[in-house]
Amino acid sequence: MEELEHASSIELKDPDQALKLYRSITNQTVASDDEAKIKEVELALSSMGKLLAKQNKAKELANLIKSIRPFLGVVSKAKASKIVRELVDTFLDMGSKTGLEIPLCLECIEWAKSEKRTFLTQALEARLILLYHSTGDYTQALNTVNRVMKELKKMDDKQLLMEVQLSESKVYHTLGNVPKARAALTSARTTANSIYVPPKLQSALDMQSGILHGEEKDFKTAFSYFYEAFEGYDSVEHPFAWTG
């Protein structure tokens, strides 16, 4: 762990050297029963992904996501899913619009399907909905919503269900169908009431609530939700805090 700690300590002073050290750690061959080494590589991947995002190196981060599949083969399915989702989320949260976003997400979905990783497949498809929305492909976005909703009915993952319901609300709002946007948001909030919602996701809910209250000319309530969203995003140092 010394190399990992050293890399972390020099990120601000010498990020390029830190990346070299992270690569050295993640390029190691790891045995499936070496828990200490697996943990070290996992932490290095997470730190490396965040550092690449800070440096706005989208292509390098996309290549990192593709290159770690041999390592994913020696860890548990749950751990592999966690690593992939975290790195893909880090990549997509950059908002770089390189044109790599949808192809990378689709490629990861196909890999997850081939590995029979159902949860990861659904989680990535939930992100794909927002990618289609951001690129204006609303038909694909709604088609993906309908497909994922059917699959989620077979699973018991309320957080993921809430994410998809929130995405559905965003798509319908963009299409100008405020009643359906409101209905989807109500469903998302109902689902959220029975689970722990991470700050970033809660902020997204509050942001959408503020937008829809604004559509209904209820500006006082809208402002309240926008302020809650700002505070939530700021608490996790999310860039949306600057647009809240």
Side-chain angles (χ1 to χ4, degrees):
M1 286 282 187
E2 289 184 10
E3 191 174 20
L4 179 62
E5 290 173 0
H6 180 53
S8 179
S9 70
I10 65 171
E11 275 193 12
L12 292 177
K13 182 174 63 179
D14 193 349
D16 289 339
Q17 181 60 28
L19 284 174
K20 287 181 181 178
L21 291 172
Y22 287 138
R23 285 194 181 94
S24 173
I25 297 168
T26 59
N27 285 338
Q28 299 177 84
T29 300
V30 182
S32 60
D33 59 350
D34 192 341
E35 288 298 325
K37 187 63 68 177
I38 286 173
K39 185 64 177 178
E40 183 181 25
V41 173
E42 181 184 359
L43 291 172
L45 285 171
S46 178
S47 297
M48 187 175 176
K50 290 172 184 174
L51 183 53
L52 286 171
K54 285 179 184 177
Q55 294 188 309
N56 204 31
K57 294 183 176 180
K59 290 183 179 179
E60 288 88 340
L61 181 48
N63 288 334
L64 174 66
I65 294 169
K66 295 176 184 178
S67 70
I68 63 172
R69 285 170 192 168
F71 171 68
L72 299 177
V74 301
V75 301
S76 68
K77 285 191 174 184
K79 189 179 291 290
S81 296
K82 175 180 175 290
I83 293 168
V84 173
R85 189 177 185 189
E86 180 184 342
L87 288 174
V88 171
D89 282 347
T90 299
F91 174 78
L92 297 179
D93 286 345
M94 290 175 66
S96 297
K97 296 183 179 179
T98 60
L100 299 171
E101 292 78 13
I102 289 177
L104 177 66
C105 200
L106 287 171
E107 185 176 333
C108 289
I109 288 170
E110 287 307 310
W111 175 81
K113 286 180 178 178
S114 70
E115 295 289 315
K116 295 181 172 57
R117 305 188 185 209
T118 305
F119 170 76
L120 179 59
T121 299
Q122 305 308 326
L124 292 172
E125 288 194 317
R127 290 304 306 257
L128 184 62
I129 295 165
L130 290 177
L131 289 175
Y132 283 138
H133 174 245
S134 67
T135 57
D137 195 342
Y138 307 123
T139 299
Q140 281 282 33
L142 289 176
N143 285 342
T144 307
V145 165
N146 293 333
R147 184 176 68 254
V148 175
M149 285 286 200
K150 289 178 182 177
E151 292 298 321
L152 287 176
K153 287 178 182 179
K154 306 172 188 175
M155 302 166 63
D156 185 26
D157 190 328
K158 291 184 178 180
Q159 181 176 314
L160 191 54
L161 175 62
M162 188 201 72
E163 289 182 43
V164 174
Q165 290 166 332
L166 177 59
S167 297
E168 182 182 23
S169 177
K170 292 179 179 180
V171 175
Y172 276 124
H173 172 254
T174 303
L175 290 171
N177 194 330
V178 175
K180 283 193 174 184
R182 167 63 65 187
L185 180 63
T186 299
S187 296
R189 284 201 165 277
T190 300
T191 303
N193 285 337
S194 61
I195 59 172
Y196 166 74
V197 181
K200 188 173 76 170
L201 198 50
Q202 182 62 53
S203 297
L205 270 175
D206 290 336
M207 181 72 79
Q208 184 67 2
S209 295
I211 290 169
L212 293 183
H213 277 288
E215 290 282 5
E216 296 166 355
K217 311 300 182 187
D218 184 358
F219 300 120
K220 184 176 180 180
T221 305
F223 174 81
S224 177
Y225 275 118
F226 286 142
Y227 188 78
E228 289 293 329
F230 166 78
E231 286 200 320
Y233 282 131
D234 188 54
S235 72
V236 292
E237 299 182 350
H238 194 283
F240 282 4
W242 299 101
T243 60

